[in-house]
Amino acid sequence: MNKYNHKEIEQKWQEKWQKDNAFKIDKDDNSKPKYYILDMFPYPSGDGLHMGHTESYTASDVYYRFKKMQGFNVLHPQGFDAFGLPAENFAIKTKVHPAETTEKNINTYIGQMKMLGLAYDFDEKAITSDPKYYKWTQWIFEQFYKNGLVYKKTSKTNWCPSCQTVIANEQVVDGKCERCGTEIEQKEVPSWFFKITDFADDLIEGLKKIDWPEHTKKNQVNWIGKSEGAEIEFRIQNSEFKIKVFTTRPDTLFGATYMVLAPEHPIIENLENRIQNLDEVKNYIERAKNKTEMDRIEGKEKSGVELKGIRAINPANNEEIPIFIADYVLGGYGTGAIMAVPAHDERDWEFAKKYDLKIEPVISPMIVQNPDYSVKHSEQKSVINFIADVREGKYCFAEVGYLVNSGKFNDSYSVAAKETITKEVGGKMTINYRLRDWSISRQRYWGCPIPIVYSPDGTAHLVPEEHLPWTLPADVDFVPTGTAPLAKSKELKERTEKIFGAGWTPEVDTMDTFVDSSWYFLRYPDPHNEKEFCSESRLKNWLPVDLYIGGAEHTYMHLLFARFFVKAMNKIGLVNFDEPFQRLRHQGMVLDAQGKKMSKSKGNVINPNDMVNRFGADSVRTYMLFAAPLEDEVMWNEDNIVGVYRFLEKVWKLNSKVKNQNSKSQFKIQNLLHKTIKKVSNDIDNLKYNTAVSAMMILINEMEKEEEIAQQDYENFLKLLAPFAPHITEELWQILGNTNSIHDESWPKFDENLMKDTSHTVVIQINGKVRGEIQIEEGTSDDDVKKLAMEQEASKKWMMGNEPKKIIYVKNKLVNIVI
RNA sequence: GCUUAGGUGGCGGAAUUGGUAUACGCGCAGCACUUAAAAUGCUGUCCUCUUAAUGGGGAUGCGGGUUCGACUCCCGCCCUAAGCACCA
């Protein structure tokens, strides 16, 4: 038999599978149970597939092959998130049209995926930049629009001076543009928004019924940031103006000794003529304006300026209190104004200490004023001292408790007082979210055009459905000038006037690419449909997605946006489910051998193609999954992959020990084989691939020691390995005389009878310490085992003549003699 | 600072969820094969005491606790990584 030649084998089978259309499925076949496994589709960058893709796509490919062998009709599609900035930036540099680069890159990716033996049917892919795809992105936009989920507003937005585009808060990383790393500026820009906040509660609630990692769910809940509180109005002295604040602690209202406004709070303009230190205030506002939100909240030291000459009235006790502006209060959260209670809020306390402001304690850990309240005198005294310390600024007490210095509310419990105090001062209980509506407008070229046109009076109208796809014009110069590239398209302008009339103008912004990727999984079941985004029957057959595998870095954006899309579409009646991904698992990052992130600048990026050439796709696939648990980081260590390569070589060589169908392997081997079948099946199902591979290695090491192996047993083993190493197993399968594909075989079943052990090793412990072991026959009675254990020399020695107080027997495992 | 995850040999990592800690793989050492090397196979490989075997003691970040028995559960502390950033 020849040496294991991975190159030859892998090329041979990849060509054969291609020729046989091995990865095609009948999407209307209802005779089998369905399973929909989804990968996060890649952005086709010029760098090609990276190791992170390799791990994640291999993980899903293994699951696909496993489920298929188990008799499921499995949909495991792939596509490309093809709109986006890199292609446009590349076009700016090289003048090569993004459509051209994108197509080239997609072909590279497809080639690489085939090289890895990934079983995708590329005739069924979805490409977001394809007009046949984005027609439906636009169509869904229009449905959202018609149902009041889209609105336009002019607002302060993050502006990336390098990309010349608006980016969402969620896409700002450390005050810098997520894509290019440039510092973000603030700019007033008109933008279209999706009302994701309408679904804030549903997005929290829906998490309860899906099988996602707990930390991912928690992170989404924190991101949405629901907080219950009250809105309360403070009057400004000698003026009709009022300032509304949001607070989660209305129970502390009596302790509000000053107010703080965000520098961008609109009321400041109205009061300018009364501000005595207007220059100082304007200066502060100007400085805050240039800071990004990140800068403002990152500063350790709080800063602020008092609005001199203006005072507010605390509605609870009618006291006059000063008003400050400070950039630690954000314009975009709550009402952009707070009441400051330094005695009971850490941030307010810090600010009050710095500017020497009054601190008034209004919450006590226990009731102090009620004379009937039966607590010891000494305890009363210490609480009174504690309150005095809080007033002096020694501590900040941010807990709940009992009210003091709060007039008629004294002694009431702070949780109960929230509502009564709010009512008393005419405020109302409200719920506030950290989540903001999703700004989707981008002043970029390479994106999905927003299907909106404006009549001569400036009113927005949807482009009627019959004109979809509303195509991206080709006659555009990409060089950014601060105005949207589409504004320069003659074709788009003429098209608009031709259809709608003279003076009509097109919307020139394109959509955030997260819009494209928020619904792509709905397209895969029916990617060629020109009449619907997906037919009703295919939707019903395939959705929701059963298993979604991808990186945890998408927790806040993609995964939240996709859930919003499905919830919105469900509300409109376009789909009949409200959670897109039933089960979600993350894969960890792939690091270099030193445990560092791979990056171009560090020059430690590893190209999957090189690895496949050197070790073969089967080794690369198996090693990626063997090296660490799927959700953990994997260090790509070239020295370690040889272990997997040797394993595959052993599998290969073992073929020469295979004896014909009628022979039987030793019981020992059959026993281990069936245990392995059970373990590998369970492990794959739970995506614990590392231990599945290890179990197969153990089996092979045992089989290797035998003179001969029954063909049936060897074949069963090959089936277990087939999802991980599809090429070598297919080749060996054929060498054994089979004419069909191993990947069309059914998954081996384990035989409980063959898994039973005839004897067991039982460990003997004296007082919990291991002192020996005995072999017992299967079926030995508990009493006999205990007796046997007591009779051992070692036991006698360690019992030192003592009678056991207690004997614990764990069936077939352990006897613990307690003396 | 907050949140989440984690801390087990020289390294990547196992441990049936409270029952022999260190499976499997890498590396290392020795042996066999070879003119030699590579490759391959075999043996050994947590630390420590004892010349050594037998055997003993210790060890899952640190300190306590529960239990016949703890990597696993509880309390306190330390450290690492990732994410989030004053959310009123």
Side-chain angles (χ1 to χ4, degrees), chain A residues 34 534-544 576:
Chain A
K34 74 99 180 179
C534 181
S535 75
E536 219 179 310
S537 69
R538 291 272 176 95
L539 265 182
K540 190 165 157 275
N541 270 9
W542 290 104
L543 283 142
N576 63 357

Side-chain angles (χ1 to χ4, degrees), chain A residues 465-482:
Chain A
E465 211 176 309
E466 67 261 30
H467 295 297
L468 300 186
W470 186 245
T471 55
L472 191 61
D475 60 331
V476 164
D477 181 18
F478 315 112
V479 180
T481 56

Side-chain angles (χ1 to χ4, degrees), chain A residues 423-681:
Chain A
K423 267 190 192 155
E424 176 76 12
V425 299
K428 63 167 194 199
M429 300 302 284
T430 57
I431 291 167
N432 206 16
Y433 298 93
R434 178 191 181 279
L435 184 72
R436 294 169 205 178
D437 276 336
W438 176 13
S439 157
I440 62 149
S441 295
R442 298 291 180 271
Q443 296 189 310
R444 301 299 297 173
Y445 171 70
W446 192 234
C448 175
I450 296 173
I452 293 273
V453 287
Y454 299 93
S455 47
D457 66 353
T459 312
H461 302 266
L462 285 179
V463 173
E465 211 176 309
E466 67 261 30
H467 295 297
L468 300 186
W470 186 245
T471 55
L472 191 61
D475 60 331
V476 164
D477 181 18
F478 315 112
V479 180
T481 56
T483 59
L486 295 196
K488 287 173 273 179
S489 165
K490 218 176 131 200
E491 187 272 315
L492 183 63
K493 191 168 182 295
E494 284 171 4
R495 188 204 311 169
T496 306
E497 293 209 317
K498 192 177 160 203
I499 294 173
F500 300 98
W504 285 63
T505 53
E507 167 64 61
V508 292
D509 284 353
T510 54
M511 292 187 213
D512 179 7
T513 56
F514 277 111
V515 179
D516 310 324
S517 59
S518 289
W519 73 278
Y520 72 110
F521 46 90
L522 302 175
R523 185 62 174 167
Y524 283 137
D526 203 4
H528 306 296
N529 193 332
E530 295 190 355
K531 297 202 169 67
E532 297 153 291
F533 69 90
C534 181
S535 75
E536 219 179 310
S537 69
R538 291 272 176 95
L539 265 182
K540 190 165 157 275
N541 270 9
W542 290 104
L543 283 142
V545 171
D546 294 289
L547 175 63
Y548 196 17
I549 297 180
E553 69 274 16
H554 288 110
T555 300
Y556 302 119
M557 290 175 252
H558 166 63
L559 287 171
L560 203 60
F561 293 152
R563 293 183 62 225
F564 155 66
F565 252 62
V566 162
K567 286 185 186 302
M569 290 175 82
N570 176 261
K571 193 180 171 192
I572 296 170
L574 299 175
V575 298
N576 63 357
F577 54 96
D578 65 357
E579 281 293 338
F581 316 122
Q582 289 301 303
R583 191 176 175 211
L584 170 77
R585 291 294 180 272
H586 299 301
Q587 93 280 358
M589 228 182 299
V590 182
L591 308 172
D592 72 4
Q594 278 71 47
K596 300 229 160 58
K597 275 190 193 178
M598 292 187 191
S599 71
K600 257 190 187 170
S601 55
K602 282 189 211 136
N604 61 349
V605 177
I606 289 165
N607 181 341
N609 284 42
D610 295 345
M611 295 300 124
V612 168
N613 276 326
R614 282 170 55 193
F615 303 104
D618 285 341
S619 291
V620 170
R621 291 168 58 110
T622 309
Y623 175 64
M624 294 230 82
L625 301 178
F626 171 64
L630 182 65
E631 65 278 12
D632 288 4
E633 293 169 340
V634 182
M635 290 188 198
W636 184 259
N637 191 329
E638 283 179 31
D639 297 330
N640 287 352
I641 192 173
V642 300
V644 168
Y645 193 86
R646 283 177 196 153
F647 163 63
L648 294 181
E649 270 187 321
K650 284 183 197 173
V651 173
W652 180 260
K653 284 186 200 159
L654 199 61
N655 181 49
S656 61
K657 289 186 177 175
V658 170
K659 293 293 175 268
N660 69 58
Q661 241 102 24
N662 301 325
S663 70
K664 257 192 164 178
S665 304
Q666 301 281 338
F667 174 77
K668 198 174 79 182
I669 292 298
Q670 292 190 44
N671 178 262
L672 184 58
L673 172 67
H674 284 266
K675 283 179 182 167
T676 307
I677 292 171
K678 185 176 182 182
K679 173 148 182 68
V680 172
S681 308

Side-chain angles (χ1 to χ4, degrees), chain A residues 257-258 306 322 324 342 351-359:
Chain A
T257 53
Y258 61 95
E306 186 179 351
F324 285 76
F351 192 82
K353 294 282 278 188
K354 181 169 175 182
Y355 292 99
D356 201 19
L357 301 166
K358 185 183 173 193
I359 298 174

Side-chain angles (χ1 to χ4, degrees), chain A residues 239-254:
Chain A
S239 141
E240 78 277 25
F241 288 116
K242 286 175 178 171
I243 300 172
K244 193 188 273 179
V245 303
F246 173 75
T247 176
T248 53
R249 292 295 301 272
D251 51 310
T252 64
L253 181 59
F254 283 82

